[in-house]
Structures are given as structure tokens and as C-alpha cells.
Amino acid sequence: MSATLDIELLRTFHAVARLGRFRAAAAHVHKSAAAVSVHIQRLEALVGARLLERDNQSVTLTPLGQRFLARTAELLDAHDRVLADLRGAPPAGRVRLGIPDEYAEHVIRDILPAFAQAWPGVTLELATAPSLVLRDQVARRRLHLAVVAQPAAAGRRASRPLALTTPLWVAGAAAGPLPAPVPLALHAADCPYRTAMIEALERAGRAWRTVLASPSSRAVEACVEAGLGISIVDRSRITARMRVLDDMPKVAPHEVVLLRDGSAGGQAAADVLEETLRQHFRL
């Protein structure tokens, strides 16, 4: 009998790959952590090799897992489109989406082209801004949906985060010892990473000065790569021209969440965009 890929197993695998933790993936797919582990084991038995490397903190994709993730994304999309078509008329309407600068390239390049092709009746309007600005715009109903970063404080963690991350301090790969005061490449004033950097240094009693303050994540990263200042970035954004600073004050974990204007609750166009982002966003 030929092998068959189970859609439910694939959905679990994609959640684990995106969120990086079994417990977070379990909350996302509304299953227990043990059930998620069983789903992954069944997939690995099917393909005959490990798809994930596990440790006490998180999971990462093996090379086969990365290939499997890429090859099955289209299958999940096709499955969901077929179901949506069978359930009635395809959604149509205008959806305003906000994205922080550091995640805009991923969303615009990797997620939205396939979405636009799958749902031609949905008109997208995009805006980029720091997370706190986007949060305010959703509250004011100027945006239907927004991807935002926020501290993952105890008791306030989102039930279905898009991703979890602990930002890391980075300097230029060729930079020498840090001078005093510490030279900072600061994110935008309304970015939670800027607040996290400053608070971590002040708690540790470390003096600092501003080398760059910019709403552009690429400008911040270029400043770090050039050895002019240090900053914090997600692990996925560390380049070969950066090095991690292990002796800096720890920064609290953060989560990337999807906020939604409550008035858009019944809007089918916003529904399909939300589900697409939840399926495909990853750090």
C-alpha cells in the first residue's frame, strides 16, 4: 500500500516549524504536547528520517525538514482552498494589513504573492510601522490586521502566537572590545526591542550612547555589521558579518502575534488572510 500524507499531521508539523516549540504548536493546533510529538514521530516514520532536531529549549529543522516544509506548503494551501471553494463563494473585499519593518520582507515576498493568487477577490492594503504604532492603529480600526512583536510576559502570552523569540545582542564580526559607554544602534521609538535594549542595560548599570536611531531594520543591521554599534535582533536575522555577544544583559523573550480589529470578526477576506499568516509566518 502506498504511503499517504495526512493533512492533520502536516498542519502540526508546520506549526512546530514556525513556532519552534512543541508546547506553543500544541496550543496553536488545539492539541496536547504529547499528541504533537506523536504527529511528528508518525511523519518521521513515514519519510524515514528526522525532520526536527530537538533540545530542551526549542526545535530546529533538519535539512530534510526544511525541504519537507517548503514542498508541503503548497499542498496545505491547495487543501484549504478546495475546502473554502466547496463551502461557498470565495471571499472578497478590502483588507488593511500592518507589518513591522523587520518582518515586512518575509510577509510581502514569501506569503502575500501566493495569497493574492489564491484569493483574487481580496484587495490588500499594506502599511509598515513599529509594533506599538500598529497596535494603536488596530485599536483605532485603521487596520484590520497587524503583525506585532511584544514582550512575552508571564500571564500575558498570546494563546496563538505566530512565533516566539529571544532577541540576541550582536556586534560586527570584526569589531573589537566594547567601549564605554556602549554604542547602540536603536530601533524605532515605538519598537519594543528598543525599550528592551535600554531597560536591560539600565538594570545592569551599563552606560550607553546612541550611534543610530532608525525605523529601518536594515539600517540598524548595517550599523552593526559595520562595527559602529551593537543592537538586538532575532536569531534568524543574524548574518555572517555579525557575532553574538554572550556577556551582555539578558533580554526577555518576545512573541510575534497577530492583532485583529474586532469589527472585522465576520469579514471573510480578513478570515482567510489571518489563517494564511498563521500557517506561513515564521522567523
Side-chain angles (χ1 to χ4, degrees):
M1 184 177 179
S2 60
T4 302
L5 285 173
D6 187 310
I7 290 295
E8 186 177 17
L9 303 187
L10 290 182
R11 203 176 299 284
T12 299
F13 170 74
H14 277 251
V16 173
R18 184 175 71 252
L19 296 173
R21 290 181 175 86
F22 274 41
R23 190 173 300 278
H28 180 76
V29 297
H30 307 293
K31 299 187 182 299
S32 68
V36 168
S37 181
V38 169
H39 281 194
I40 299 302
Q41 291 171 11
R42 288 172 60 185
L43 275 179
E44 291 180 331
L46 183 65
V47 301
R50 294 184 72 86
L51 297 171
L52 301 169
E53 295 292 350
R54 304 156 174 85
D55 60 34
N56 292 333
Q57 299 298 322
S58 62
V59 296
T60 57
L61 292 170
T62 64
L64 177 62
Q66 293 174 350
R67 187 154 53 95
F68 188 73
L69 182 72
R71 296 295 295 273
T72 56
E74 184 177 350
L75 177 59
L76 268 181
D77 281 343
H79 170 271
D80 293 342
R81 288 198 300 271
V82 168
L83 283 184
D85 288 342
L86 292 174
R87 288 169 177 166
R94 180 171 59 103
V95 182
R96 298 187 299 274
L97 171 66
I99 322 164
D101 178 72
E102 57 266 39
Y103 306 131
E105 182 178 358
H106 166 49
V107 173
I108 293 171
R109 182 189 61 196
D110 302 331
I111 299 177
L112 295 185
F115 175 85
Q117 183 176 11
W119 308 108
V122 177
T123 300
L124 291 173
E125 293 183 6
L126 308 177
T128 61
S131 288
L132 297 181
V133 173
L134 295 176
R135 178 181 292 279
D136 179 70
Q137 290 179 351
V138 171
R140 294 172 180 267
R141 297 184 175 178
R142 295 175 180 171
L143 293 172
H144 295 117
L145 294 163
V147 175
V148 304
Q150 65 184 23
R156 199 171 59 84
R157 176 164 293 179
S159 59
R160 295 180 67 195
L162 295 177
L164 301 171
T165 181
T166 299
L168 301 174
W169 288 98
V170 289
L178 283 182
V182 176
L184 295 185
L186 291 172
H187 298 271
D190 294 302
C191 174
Y193 281 10
R194 178 188 179 118
T195 302
M197 292 169 62
I198 294 173
E199 289 182 349
L201 289 174
E202 291 184 344
R203 282 195 305 268
R206 299 282 296 269
W208 58 274
R209 63 182 178 88
T210 301
V211 173
L212 170 76
S214 174
S216 166
S217 61
R218 281 303 305 142
V220 170
E221 291 161 10
C223 186
V224 171
E225 290 175 337
L228 298 176
I230 69 170
S231 193
I232 61 171
V233 299
D234 292 326
R235 184 181 297 275
S236 61
R237 298 188 70 88
I238 297 175
T239 70
R241 299 179 64 185
M242 299 177 186
R243 62 182 173 89
V244 175
L245 299 173
D246 294 320
D247 58 347
M248 293 296 292
K250 297 297 183 184
V251 176
H254 282 61
E255 58 191 4
V256 183
V257 301
L258 186 61
L259 302 182
R260 183 163 176 172
D261 170 13
S263 67
Q267 185 176 325
D271 289 342
V272 292
L273 179 57
E274 176 178 356
E275 189 56 34
T276 298
L277 289 167
R278 291 195 180 282
Q279 287 182 14
H280 299 293
F281 184 92
R282 60 184 181 272
L283 294 181

